[in-house]
């Protein structure tokens, strides 16, 4: 018996999409900083993705597609509109590292998880999301470019900028902690 | 190639984004240059630290089930004759499962509303500036909210009671702006949240059906009621009596 096409695509969607559930939720929760909003966002993402699955091009990156839907839904949400500030001067950003006197291995060795989480929370959303995509989701630059719908060069400059901002925050935290003792 | 040129490529190197030939040359350089090696190490450590810290949130089993169910294809139709026999039993089964599910879900939702409010309460008290308008005077606090939230409310006269008003801030619940007031009694802080009641309708938050009376959530006592189209929540770690006393004052405020 020939199974109707609709059922085939739904089964495939479930098989492709459900394994991404945990990481999509983690990402949504980081973006929204709120449990209920993250839950709504993930639900919305799956609903939209299932509805739009017929337009999904086989052979393109499904994970990037799902993340893009989640992120676009977030951007059009109330919180998203507020948090997503434009990044200016992005393309002119030099890729040369900032001048530093010593490497920061010592700083990072002392780093505990809570400090890092706090610093990530404090980062502006564009920096936070690109770091999560790169380090936690272990996406390639190409995948990140697809997810965020930005050119490859912008991925690199935004990532560079995000890492610098994170270092600055951590350094500030470390200095603050030392002063407090 | 000097170190400076390599430094710009270290990020791409540790991200595994350099092409093979370039990566090989850089690896060779790192082996002989202590400064670049230290830089590369620092980047790897940073990546790991972000990765560990970033894997942080776990979704509830309830959400997973709900979503899994919503994307599961309906099973194709089989022979139908046994379904006729099984239909009455199935109806009963579905009814009882649905009732249980509904009750369980209501309960879970209620807990979620309460624990979210408890979070707001704790987060405000833990912050360096718990309130944005600092005043014990209700005639200062109330007008401060004008234009910041889409409704107005009355605050009680506290003279003769043990409560003191510390101030207020704008807060959000389910993406809806509301007022968050902080009162003090014997060194305990109590949060009062006020939202528009209709903000909860159709949001599936089930707040509309929260039972009256003081409830317990995460060791906090929570009272809630609706008055003049507004939904009030009183949250604190004080005893039921104090929560009720403050609620009474708010209900009688003119």
């Amino acid at each position: 018996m020939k199974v109707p096409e609709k059922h085939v695509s739904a089964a495939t969607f479930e098989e492709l999409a459900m394994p991404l559930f945990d990481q999509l939720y983690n990402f949504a929760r980081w973006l929204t900083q709120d449990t209920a909003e993250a839950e709504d966002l993930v639900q919305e993402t799956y609903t939209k993705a299932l509805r739009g699955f017929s337009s999904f091009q086989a052979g393109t990156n499904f994970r990037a597609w799902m993340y893009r839907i989640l992120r676009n839904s977030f951007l059009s949400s109330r919180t998203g509109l507020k948090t997503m500030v434009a990044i200016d001067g992005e393309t002119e950003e030099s890729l040369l590292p900032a001048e530093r006197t010593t490497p920061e291995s010592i700083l990072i060795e002392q780093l505990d998880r809570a400090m890092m989480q706090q610093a990530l929370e404090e980062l502006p959303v564009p920096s936070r999301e690109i770091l999560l995509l790169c380090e936690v989701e272990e996406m390639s630059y190409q995948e990140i470019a697809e997810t965020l719908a930005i050119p490859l060069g912008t991925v690199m400059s935004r990532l560079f900028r995000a890492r610098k901002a994170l270092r600055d925050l951590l350094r500030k935290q470390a200095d603050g902690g030392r002063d407090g003792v | 190639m000097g170190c400076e040129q390599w430094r710009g490529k270290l990020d791409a190197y540790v991200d595994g984004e350099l092409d093979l030939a370039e990566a090989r040359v850089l690896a060779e350089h790192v082996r002989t240059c202590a400064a670049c090696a230290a830089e590369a190490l620092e980047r790897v450590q940073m990546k790991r630290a972000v990765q560990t810290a970033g894997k942080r949130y776990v979704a509830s089993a309830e959400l997973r089930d709900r979503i899994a169910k919503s994307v599961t294809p309906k099973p194709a139709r089989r022979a139908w004759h046994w379904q006729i026999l099984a239909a009455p039993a199935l109806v009963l089964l579905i009814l009882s499962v649905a009732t249980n599910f509904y009750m369980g879900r209501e309960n879970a939702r209620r807990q979620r509303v309460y624990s979210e409010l408890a979070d707001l309460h704790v987060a405000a008290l833990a912050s360096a500036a718990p309130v944005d308008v600092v005043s014990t005077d209700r005639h200062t606090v109330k007008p401060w909210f004008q234009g910041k939230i889409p409704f107005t409310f009355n605050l009680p006269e506290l003279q003769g009671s043990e409560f003191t008003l510390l101030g207020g801030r704008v807060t959000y619940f389910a993406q809806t702006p509301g007022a968050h007031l902080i009162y003090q009694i014997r060194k305990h802080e109590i949060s009062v949240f006020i939202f528009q009641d209709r903000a909860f309708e159709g949001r599936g938050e089930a707040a509309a059906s929260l039972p009256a009376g003081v409830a317990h959530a995460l060791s906090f006592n929570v009272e809630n009621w609706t008055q003049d189209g507004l939904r009030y929540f009183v949250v604190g770690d004080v005893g039921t009596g104090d929560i009720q006393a403050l609620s009474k004052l708010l209900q009688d405020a003119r």
Side-chain angles (χ1 to χ4, degrees), chain B residues 23 33 55 63 69 99 113 118 195 223 232 235:
Chain B
C33 171
K55 288 181 182 161
L63 180 70
K69 221 166 281 168
T99 314
V113 171
F195 298 97
E223 170 70 297
Y232 289 73
V235 183

Side-chain angles (χ1 to χ4, degrees), chain B residues 44-59:
Chain B
V44 172
Q45 285 173 323
M46 189 73 115
K47 273 178 83 72
R48 290 233 181 92
V50 173
Q51 191 179 51
T52 319
K55 288 181 182 161
R56 181 179 191 184
Y57 301 108
V58 180

Side-chain angles (χ1 to χ4, degrees), chain B residues 142-165:
Chain B
K142 182 183 161 179
W144 179 85
F145 281 101
Q146 255 174 36
K148 296 188 176 69
I149 51 172
F151 57 87
T152 180
F153 51 85
N154 290 324
L155 291 179
E157 172 59 53
L158 295 172
Q159 229 157 31
S161 80
E162 284 183 89
F163 297 100
T164 327
L165 177 61

Side-chain angles (χ1 to χ4, degrees), chain B residues 131-202:
Chain B
V131 287
D132 291 329
V133 48
V134 185
S135 173
T136 55
D137 181 10
R138 61 183 172 137
H139 299 298
T140 307
V141 173
K142 182 183 161 179
W144 179 85
F145 281 101
Q146 255 174 36
K148 296 188 176 69
I149 51 172
F151 57 87
T152 180
F153 51 85
N154 290 324
L155 291 179
E157 172 59 53
L158 295 172
Q159 229 157 31
S161 80
E162 284 183 89
F163 297 100
T164 327
L165 177 61
L166 296 184
R169 52 157 43 190
V170 174
T171 191
Y172 285 85
F173 182 82
Q175 291 151 5
T176 307
H180 181 178
L181 304 158
I182 299 183
Y183 287 89
Q184 192 174 46
I185 180 168
R186 297 182 305 271
K187 305 252 176 186
H188 289 277
E189 276 94 8
I190 304 178
S191 282
V192 174
F193 297 97
I194 311 174
F195 298 97
Q196 277 168 297
D197 196 36
R198 64 184 160 89
F200 294 95
E201 288 166 15

Side-chain angles (χ1 to χ4, degrees), chain B residues 94 213 217 234:
Chain B
I94 288 172
V234 179

Side-chain angles (χ1 to χ4, degrees), chain A residues 129-146:
Chain A
E129 67 172 359
I130 200 165
L131 279 172
L132 289 166
L133 293 178
C134 182
E135 319 293 32
V136 181
E137 306 311 333
E138 299 183 74
M139 282 190 182
S140 67
Y141 289 178
Q142 182 57 44
E143 261 186 298
I144 297 175
E146 280 177 38

